Amino acid sequence: MPFAAHCLSGRTAIVTGSTQGIGLGIAQALANAGAQVVISSEDAQAVASTIAALGDAGHKVHGIACDVTDGDALAALVGETVTRFGGLDILVCNAGITGEAGSWALDDFDRVIAVNLRSIVALTTLAIPHIAAAGGGSVILMSSLSALRGNGAINAYALAKAGVAQLARNLAVQWGPDNVRVNALAPGLIATPLSEPLMADGDFMARRMQMTPLRRVGTVADVASASVFLASPASSFITGQQIAIDGGTSITDGS
């Protein structure tokens, strides 16, 4: 981790979808950098096991089960965090679902938009005033490489993630005068359990690696390190940006 271990000391962070994969990696990285981290997922048992593991590692963590599509649960997530830790400095909106591949079925579309975009609008509306009241801080929204290009397989997901990037820009303009920075991360292919089927597909991987200048799959640590950067004073003059963490996939034609 290219940051001092104490660079987020005294800061409080909420990370949604943080019991596995990228969200867990981000939570661990923020904790390693000194933040006190609220772990959140709709799975209460997974939240409990995650905070136990992080607590055993010496980190200051708290767990709050939360379905991000439930407005009351989101209000409780923010309220309990502020009550327990006295404020909020960092928000990472990571929870998301992919939806049905290739589908424009409206029920699936509504579900994907509700989890991946509407919930972020609702959570940032609740959380950012507290971040501003604390003197400012950082909001990190999880977008995707799919938001930067056309995609015939994960239609609603890509559309929602493009909306997340625009939300980051809008919120950055709205809250910048209060010293709240809002940015989006756009991971490409990252090695997680969810991406294992793609990584097991030889034809897909051959095409993807040809399209990726760094010729490798990203790691959770790649995304987590970028999150610590955006949460820390090292990025104090960066806001309203969508940063691709994709090994260059988005900037090449594959030649």
Side-chain angles (χ1 to χ4, degrees), residues 48-119:
S49 61
T50 300
I51 63 170
L54 292 177
D56 288 345
H59 299 307
K60 189 171 184 179
V61 293
H62 181 59
I64 303 174
C66 176
D67 176 354
V68 295
T69 64
D70 183 334
D72 291 338
L74 290 175
L77 172 64
V78 173
E80 185 175 335
T81 298
V82 171
T83 297
R84 184 178 186 87
F85 293 112
L88 178 63
D89 307 287
I90 300 160
L91 173 66
V92 182
C93 296
N94 170 74
I97 59 173
T98 303
E100 298 176 13
S103 174
W104 281 114
L106 289 182
D107 57 347
D108 181 66
F109 173 86
D110 289 342
R111 185 171 64 97
V112 171
I113 294 296
V115 173
N116 292 353
L117 182 57
R118 189 183 187 281
S119 72

Side-chain angles (χ1 to χ4, degrees), residues 40-202:
S40 182
S41 163
E42 65 180 352
D43 185 337
Q45 184 173 353
V47 170
S49 61
T50 300
I51 63 170
L54 292 177
D56 288 345
H59 299 307
K60 189 171 184 179
V61 293
H62 181 59
I64 303 174
C66 176
D67 176 354
V68 295
T69 64
D70 183 334
D72 291 338
L74 290 175
L77 172 64
V78 173
E80 185 175 335
T81 298
V82 171
T83 297
R84 184 178 186 87
F85 293 112
L88 178 63
D89 307 287
I90 300 160
L91 173 66
V92 182
C93 296
N94 170 74
I97 59 173
T98 303
E100 298 176 13
S103 174
W104 281 114
L106 289 182
D107 57 347
D108 181 66
F109 173 86
D110 289 342
R111 185 171 64 97
V112 171
I113 294 296
V115 173
N116 292 353
L117 182 57
R118 189 183 187 281
S119 72
I120 296 178
V121 174
L123 181 52
T124 53
T125 298
L126 291 164
I128 291 180
H130 291 285
I131 298 175
S138 178
V139 177
I140 301 166
L141 310 182
M142 196 58 62
S143 183
S144 167
L145 173 63
S146 66
L148 299 170
R149 311 189 307 179
N151 195 305
I154 45 177
N155 301 320
Y157 177 86
L159 184 59
K161 293 301 187 178
V164 167
Q166 182 60 39
L167 178 62
R169 290 186 284 267
N170 290 352
L171 291 175
V173 171
Q174 180 181 356
W175 288 99
D178 294 286
N179 196 34
V180 178
R181 298 180 296 105
V182 186
N183 293 285
L185 293 177
L189 181 61
I190 306 297
T192 68
L194 289 177
S195 66
E196 285 177 357
L198 288 175
M199 294 172 62
D201 184 331

Side-chain angles (χ1 to χ4, degrees), residues 195-216:
S195 66
E196 285 177 357
L198 288 175
M199 294 172 62
D201 184 331
D203 290 340
F204 169 84
M205 288 300 295
R207 293 194 305 272
R208 176 52 68 92
M209 291 302 97
Q210 180 61 35
M211 295 171 61
T212 303
L214 291 184
R215 298 294 193 268
R216 70 172 177 87

